[in-house]
Amino acid sequence: FRILAVDNNKEVLGTMKKIAELADPRIGFTAMYDYTEALKAIPDINPHIVLTDYSQPEAAINGLAFAQAVKARFPDTPIALV
């Protein structure tokens, strides 16, 4: 199972990763801080789910816009806004 998590907060991403590893050490967890780079990386990562922060004030786009872009390009990829 592969998870892509996108958030500007490294502590939040670290906590998500620890939870995923505790749930199942076989989970592939990729953490990214930049929406644009994450969108480009989706074909290579091929995640089963994308987790993203709803609001990232320092980012060029917010989590909702990122989720919409993911859905437009990868309609079968589930997304959870956290």
Side-chain angles (χ1 to χ4, degrees), residues 42-80:
I42 288 175
D44 293 329
I45 297 167
N46 193 23
H48 291 99
I49 190 166
V50 174
L51 307 175
T52 186
D53 187 4
Y54 180 79
S55 167
Q56 290 195 27
E58 299 87 23
I61 62 172
N62 65 25
L64 183 57
F66 172 70
Q68 290 168 335
V70 171
K71 276 304 187 191
R73 292 182 60 188
F74 311 99
D76 295 330
T77 303
I79 302 168

Side-chain angles (χ1 to χ4, degrees), residues 2 20 23 36:
R2 292 173 304 280
T36 304

Side-chain angles (χ1 to χ4, degrees), residues 25-45:
R26 298 171 294 174
I27 291 175
F29 189 94
T30 302
M32 299 191 81
Y33 310 103
D34 181 89
Y35 285 127
T36 304
E37 293 302 314
L39 195 58
K40 290 178 192 175
I42 288 175
D44 293 329
I45 297 167

